[in-house]
Amino acid sequence: MAAPWYQWDGEDLLLAVHIQPRASADSLDGTHGERLKIRLTAPPVDGKANSHLIRFLARHFGVPRRQVHLLSGESSRAKRVRIERPRQLPAGIPPGTA
């Protein structure tokens, strides 16, 4: 059974994430309710945390930044993200079936 924080949409991966800005280090940090918890060192001002999140996810999923899209939650800690055709998957996310 899939975890509630991710869903495959064809070859794309949709994530429900909870962001903790101003953390001491960037990391995937388990879950927060039904969302993947991500700690980021960036502050939540002027879109810095959102930009940092996109770079962080692109690196973890092996895709260029242009393939990571913030779908909702621009000014919230709760966000939805689409990752187009991820090339690598962190532990806990099995490959999708197209």
Side-chain angles (χ1 to χ4, degrees):
M1 183 172 164
W5 48 267
Y6 77 88
Q7 173 184 348
W8 287 98
D9 182 19
E11 294 182 349
D12 295 350
L13 182 62
L14 302 174
L15 297 176
V17 299
H18 174 83
I19 304 304
Q20 178 186 334
R22 288 195 175 117
S24 59
D26 295 335
S27 66
L28 296 173
D29 196 36
T31 58
H32 180 84
E34 293 190 349
R35 295 181 175 276
L36 175 64
K37 185 173 184 178
I38 300 176
R39 295 176 189 260
L40 298 174
T41 55
V45 292
D46 299 329
K48 290 180 182 179
N50 289 336
S51 296
H52 196 83
L53 173 65
I54 289 170
R55 285 192 306 274
F56 177 81
L57 291 174
R59 195 169 49 248
H60 270 76
F61 287 90
V63 298
R65 288 185 303 228
R66 70 179 177 274
Q67 288 180 225
V68 179
H69 306 280
L70 184 60
L71 301 176
S72 66
E74 186 172 321
S75 61
S76 170
R77 288 180 180 224
K79 301 179 186 299
R80 298 256 319 144
V81 179
R82 175 181 294 272
I83 301 170
E84 296 176 10
R85 299 176 309 283
R87 288 190 227 140
Q88 61 191 33
L89 299 172
I93 304 177
T97 54

